[in-house]
Amino acid sequence: MTGLLTFGETMGVVAADTIGRLEHARGFTFGIGGAESNVALGVARLGGDAVWIGRIGPDAAGDLIEHRLRAGGVRAVTIRDTSFTGLMVKHRRTGSVLHVDYHRAGSAGSRLAPADIPVETVREASILHVTGITPALSDTARAAVFQAVETAQAAHVPVSIDINYRSKLWSRYDASPVLMDLITRADVVFAGPDEAALVVDGPPLKGLAALGPSEVVIKDGARGCEALIGGEHYALPALSVTVVDPVGAGDAFVAGYLTERLAGAGADSRLRTAIAAGAFAVTVPGDCEGMPSREDLGLLVAASDNVAR
């Protein structure tokens, strides 16, 4: 294969469609979400080649994950497990506060193991992308991440990691040494300012770059992004958009950057596409539903009329 290879847990997503306490919600939507599959979908929708590997349960949520990923252009390698597909439950406690609960302990996705990630598939990839979520799921999932990264390193396949710290999955104390180890093996690292503070003190760009990655990108939401790429410093502002759902914006950003990297684009083009993809994603509800196509990105260009005719 050529293109992006990633793996991890994708869940069913139950989202209340009203603002307030979950107990008062009367309507819900059901979709899918997972950091790694979000990135794979984002890359595919932008015209790149993406493979996602993961375990799913023998249930309707597993069926939906398989269907959505393949329909979205991702080459999904789904391993049917006897355990259930994990669930994420989202509701807006207020108009500006999003609350997320996970139901994933013992799930099919958490049972990912090193044998699930074929060595040859890793060796043939153009880039391997992992996150800090998968190592938090289980010992076997953590082993799968490290084995894949070590295989990629040996085969000179670039390794990308998004720190993606989730406090509901593990403590900062437990996460820090694992993330530090992964970052020292990576070529590209993505992090928010608070996530960078898990592993480095002081300025995040220089601190993370000192660990070894040649490309460090700090995602800072409405403040845009900063990057240190090949020793050059970049800073881009965010685009002004109306935020409907912030979940998935970081994954869209990563997808935009990695798609352009796979296409051989320069650092400035990678970051501009990343910023645009992240901005587009927050304008659409859902974890991955807002992943844009190249044509969609053109809709962000300022115009006097917001009606596409």
Side-chain angles (χ1 to χ4, degrees):
M1 64 163 286
T2 56
L4 177 94
L5 170 63
T6 191
F7 58 89
E9 179 173 35
T10 298
M11 299 165 286
V13 179
V14 180
D17 59 10
T18 54
I19 297 173
R21 291 183 180 276
L22 187 63
E23 64 193 83
H24 299 310
R26 293 295 177 266
F28 297 86
T29 58
F30 190 75
I32 69 170
E36 299 85 3
S37 59
N38 289 349
V39 171
L41 272 170
V43 168
R45 287 184 181 169
L46 287 170
D49 191 16
V51 172
W52 174 86
I53 301 173
R55 286 182 174 262
I56 54 177
D59 44 39
D63 293 341
L64 181 63
I65 289 167
E66 188 172 65
H67 172 74
R68 286 273 182 92
L69 293 181
R70 291 177 178 170
V74 175
R75 286 192 280 154
V77 180
T78 52
I79 302 162
R80 288 285 179 167
D81 195 276
T82 56
S83 191
F84 63 94
T85 301
L87 287 177
M88 180 193 305
V89 180
K90 302 193 304 182
H91 74 281
R92 285 190 176 278
R93 183 62 187 86
T94 70
S96 59
V97 176
L98 181 66
H99 189 89
V100 178
D101 289 319
Y102 296 121
H103 301 273
R104 61 201 306 181
S107 67
S110 72
R111 294 165 69 165
L112 190 77
D116 296 334
I117 316 301
V119 169
E120 283 306 311
T121 303
V122 177
R123 289 174 177 164
E124 294 170 1
S126 298
I127 190 164
L128 171 69
H129 178 68
V130 299
T131 77
I133 297 173
T134 305
L137 298 177
S138 66
D139 290 341
T140 60
R142 185 177 307 177
V145 171
F146 276 94
Q147 177 177 285
V149 168
E150 289 165 5
T151 300
Q153 284 183 292
H156 305 290
V157 173
V159 174
S160 163
I161 177 172
D162 189 348
I163 290 181
N164 253 335
Y165 174 66
R166 297 290 185 267
S167 62
K168 290 188 176 182
L169 296 180
W170 54 350
S171 70
R172 298 175 73 88
Y173 176 83
D174 290 330
S176 179
V178 177
L179 295 172
M180 174 81 79
D181 196 353
L182 285 173
I183 291 167
T184 61
R185 302 168 188 263
D187 299 278
V188 185
V189 61
F190 301 93
D194 291 341
E195 292 173 330
L198 284 166
V199 291
V200 297
D201 296 321
L205 277 178
K206 290 184 177 180
L208 290 173
L211 296 177
S214 58
E215 302 173 33
V216 177
V217 184
I218 302 299
K219 303 177 293 180
D220 203 6
R223 287 171 288 278
C225 71
E226 272 195 281
L228 198 59
I229 300 171
E232 295 290 328
H233 178 263
Y234 299 83
L236 275 73
L239 297 178
S240 179
V241 295
T242 300
V243 177
V244 174
D245 187 345
V247 177
D251 300 329
F253 180 102
V254 171
Y257 184 94
L258 294 180
T259 301
E260 298 292 36
R261 193 185 193 279
L262 288 165
D268 188 67
S269 293
R270 298 177 207 170
L271 293 169
R272 290 189 183 282
T273 299
I275 284 283
F280 193 93
V282 304
T283 67
V284 180
D287 280 45
C288 58
E289 287 78 359
M291 296 295 170
S293 65
R294 294 278 182 184
E295 183 180 5
D296 289 333
L297 294 183
L299 298 175
L300 292 177
V301 177
S304 59
D305 189 353
N306 64 356
V307 180
R309 302 180 189 275

